[in-house]
Amino acid sequence: MEFKLIGADCSNGMKIIKNLYKVEREVEVPINIEKISAKEKEKYGIKVIPTLIFDDQVLASGNVISDRELKNFIKQTLEA
């Protein structure tokens, strides 16, 4: 699964990375995170960081998405 994380270099971005790796171990699905600097947010049309994107869909913006929410999203995506 390919995720983009804009603002990976901020403290909340690092928390999202931690949650993604935790979920990766739990659901045993390889996750790749493209870490994008907060300086490039305008390029993506993002106003707040951190922003987590999957398949050009914004999953979370301006907050830390929980590991439970990530796990549910990944399971739903795999079932579809």
Side-chain angles (χ1 to χ4, degrees), residues 16 19-20 23 60 63-72:
I16 292 174
N19 286 346
L20 278 167
V23 170
N63 64 330
V64 176
I65 187 168
S66 72
D67 56 331
R68 181 180 298 150
E69 291 172 300
L70 283 167
K71 188 188 287 188
N72 288 338

Side-chain angles (χ1 to χ4, degrees), residues 4 6 12 15 24 34 47 55 58-60 78:
K4 290 183 183 180
I6 301 169
N12 283 340
K15 290 176 187 174
E24 179 182 41
E34 182 181 343
K47 294 187 182 351
D55 221 13
V58 174
L59 297 180
L78 292 173

Side-chain angles (χ1 to χ4, degrees), residues 18-44:
K18 182 179 172 184
N19 286 346
L20 278 167
Y21 286 137
K22 179 180 178 185
V23 170
E24 179 182 41
R25 287 189 305 273
E26 290 175 4
V27 297
E28 298 178 350
V29 173
I31 292 176
N32 185 32
I33 307 166
E34 182 181 343
K35 300 170 186 165
I36 301 167
S37 171
K39 297 173 187 164
E40 297 184 47
K41 68 181 182 182
E42 291 83 23
K43 181 175 152 183
Y44 291 89

